[in-house]
């Protein structure tokens, strides 16, 4: 069965209690990158054993089961093939080993160098006066190159292979599933930086690049629905291969070049059909609602992660799940 989870910060907060009150038993965790962590000893880095242990027990003491991790050590040098990449990869290896030792079974990693998810607005007017995030590529065409200049897709594929060669054997021994998150937005290039996790075909190439039971994907629906006109079909395609380890249940409206993130019940995707696809492939992994508009009474300091918006998305996701899975 699907493990419906929520992504929570590393320190207890009212959001933790509200999510538990909504009946969520599983947590997707985030490492504690405390001030000054960069100068910490190896045993005190956020991905070392003791900090991860304390993170795990904090979640569990609050009533959650820690089932996936969605934060990463710095990997920019590894992605760009720069000097120092082997040290960064060793940090990732330390993380994977420690996750395995602590029974945290899914790591959501990514291959977005220099910057992660990109938006041109975090204040797009949404339903009832809510604020949503959006992207307009026309506004980015004249954006300057980053300090790294032109980064080709060919280089990214080469560096990804080098990385997978190092981390996959470790993950196999640790029994930790590597779930690759898509580029957000799924466009290439942006500011001269190539993006390779941006299409159904490229995801299949990822899986074929290093065939392994632990090399798989994070099916972030907001990105995948911009890659295909048949998102339920994509879920079935990768699900039949047993490669969906983690899912983000969210929606958008638009195209890769111009879109806005929506409430879960008003985007362009048939969310019920997606849940039916998860059911039909026998998906029993972690699924969390993701990226919500900021609602009345909440702060937009953390766009796409409004606490009140999350409560709406949890209820919507659980309702669809109950309806679809009780049909049988």
């Amino acid at each position: 069965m699907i493990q419906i989870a929520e992504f929570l910060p590393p320190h207890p907060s009212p959001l933790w209690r509200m999510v538990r009150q909504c009946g969520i038993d599983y947590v997707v965790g985030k490492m504690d990158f405390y001030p000054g962590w960069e100068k910490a000893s190896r045993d005190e880095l956020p991905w070392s054993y003791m900090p991860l242990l304390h993170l795990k027990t904090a979640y569990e003491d609050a009533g959650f089961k820690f089932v996936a991790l969605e934060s990463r050590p710095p990997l920019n040098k590894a992605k760009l093939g720069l000097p120092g990449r082997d040290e960064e990869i060793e940090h990732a290896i330390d993380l994977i080993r420690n996750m395995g030792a602590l029974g945290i079974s899914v790591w959501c990693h990514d291959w977005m160098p220099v910057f992660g998810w990109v938006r041109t607005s975090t204040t797009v007017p949404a339903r009832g006066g809510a604020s949503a995030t959006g992207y307009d590529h026309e506004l980015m065409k004249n954006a300057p190159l980053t300090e790294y200049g032109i980064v080709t897709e060919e280089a990214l594929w080469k560096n990804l292979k080098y990385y997978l060669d190092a981390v996959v054997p470790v993950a196999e021994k640790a029994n930790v599933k590597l779930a690759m998150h898509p580029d957000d937005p799924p466009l290439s290039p942006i500011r001269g930086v190539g993006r390779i996790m941006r299409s159904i075909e490229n995801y299949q190439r990822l899986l074929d690049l290093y065939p392994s039971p632990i090399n798989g994907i994070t099916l972030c629906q907001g990105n995948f629905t911009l890659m295909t006109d048949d998102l339920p079909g994509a879920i079935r395609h990768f699900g039949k291969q047993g490669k969906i380890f983690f899912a983000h249940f969210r929606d958008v409206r638009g195209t890769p070049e111009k879109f806005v993130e929506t409430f879960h019940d008003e985007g362009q995707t048939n969310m019920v059909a997606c849940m039916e696809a998860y059911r039909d492939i026998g998906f029993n992994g972690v699924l969390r609602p993701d990226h919500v508009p900021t609602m009345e009474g909440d702060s937009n300091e953390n766009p796409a992660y409004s606490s009140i918006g999350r409560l709406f998305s949890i209820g919507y996701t659980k309702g669809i799940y109950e309806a679809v899975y009780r049909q049988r």
Side-chain angles (χ1 to χ4, degrees):
M1 302 294 283
I2 289 177
Q3 299 170 345
I4 298 179
E6 185 52 91
F7 181 49
L8 295 178
H11 298 290
S13 68
L15 178 63
W16 284 31
R17 294 187 291 276
M18 289 191 292
V19 166
R20 278 294 295 131
Q21 289 165 13
C22 286
I24 296 298
D25 300 319
Y26 301 98
V27 65
V28 175
K30 179 180 181 181
M31 288 185 284
D32 184 10
F33 287 94
Y34 56 87
W37 67 266
E38 301 95 333
K39 299 179 180 179
S41 68
R42 182 170 180 173
D43 289 340
E44 296 175 330
L45 291 168
W47 52 87
S48 62
Y49 184 87
M50 290 307 297
L52 282 180
L53 172 62
H54 291 151
L55 183 63
K56 176 183 171 72
T57 55
Y59 288 137
E60 291 181 349
D61 289 344
F64 297 104
K65 184 175 181 181
F66 188 6
V67 289
L69 180 71
E70 196 170 344
S71 58
R72 306 113 192 153
L75 283 169
N76 204 50
K77 293 174 183 176
K79 295 170 185 176
L80 296 172
L82 297 176
R85 69 172 175 177
D86 289 334
E87 181 181 1
E88 287 190 344
I89 292 173
E90 278 301 315
H91 291 162
I93 287 172
D94 285 345
L95 168 64
I96 292 166
R97 286 176 175 152
N98 291 326
M99 288 179 63
L102 291 166
I104 307 164
S105 60
V106 176
W107 181 34
C108 176
H109 60 161
D110 70 55
W111 209 246
M112 290 181 276
V114 188
F115 45 81
W117 63 293
V118 182
R119 297 293 183 269
T120 54
S121 176
T122 58
T123 54
V124 179
R127 187 172 67 196
S131 295
T133 67
Y135 182 83
D136 185 348
H137 197 57
E138 191 65 31
L139 300 176
M140 294 295 289
K141 288 182 177 178
N142 294 322
L145 299 178
T146 73
E147 62 182 293
Y148 300 99
I150 300 296
V151 178
T152 68
E153 293 187 24
E154 180 183 4
L156 290 176
W157 281 113
K158 180 180 178 181
N159 297 333
L160 176 57
K161 180 64 164 61
Y162 185 91
Y163 165 80
L164 292 176
D165 285 345
V167 301
V168 169
V170 177
E172 289 175 343
K173 291 180 181 179
N175 196 28
V176 173
K177 295 178 177 178
L178 305 178
M180 182 66 76
H181 191 284
D183 298 327
D184 188 0
L187 283 176
S188 180
I190 296 177
R191 297 185 63 192
V193 178
R195 316 266 277 186
I196 57 175
M197 293 294 101
R198 58 177 175 81
S199 69
I200 303 298
E201 295 76 19
N202 282 12
Y203 259 92
Q204 190 60 54
R205 180 176 174 181
L206 163 72
L207 302 179
D208 296 338
L209 192 63
Y210 199 120
S212 168
I214 60 83
N215 182 29
I217 70 176
T218 294
L219 201 143
C220 181
Q221 291 191 184
N223 300 126
F224 272 86
T225 201
L226 295 173
M227 301 178 195
T228 175
D229 292 330
D230 182 11
L231 182 54
I235 293 170
R236 291 186 170 89
H237 170 75
F238 292 115
K240 288 176 181 177
Q241 299 176 64
K243 291 299 186 178
I244 302 176
F245 299 154
F246 184 27
H248 286 177
F249 203 65
R250 68 178 178 96
D251 206 359
V252 298
R253 187 171 53 248
T255 67
E257 292 75 21
K258 187 173 183 179
F259 65 87
V260 62
E261 296 192 288
T262 67
F263 284 102
H264 281 60
D265 64 340
E266 63 166 359
Q268 65 194 41
T269 308
N270 186 330
M271 302 291 266
V272 174
C274 289
M275 189 66 77
E276 290 172 340
Y278 290 122
R279 178 198 64 195
D280 293 346
I281 64 171
F283 177 63
N284 60 358
V286 183
L287 178 147
R288 74 170 180 87
D290 191 21
H291 287 199
V292 295
T294 299
M295 296 181 68
E296 183 69 22
D298 212 345
S299 167
N300 200 32
E301 292 180 1
N302 192 13
Y305 285 97
S306 159
S307 294
I308 299 173
R310 292 203 211 190
L311 304 186
F312 174 85
S313 69
I314 288 170
Y316 182 82
T317 302
K318 290 186 70 175
I320 291 180
Y321 173 78
E322 291 290 332
V324 167
Y325 276 77
R326 288 189 177 179
Q327 290 178 8
R328 292 186 172 182

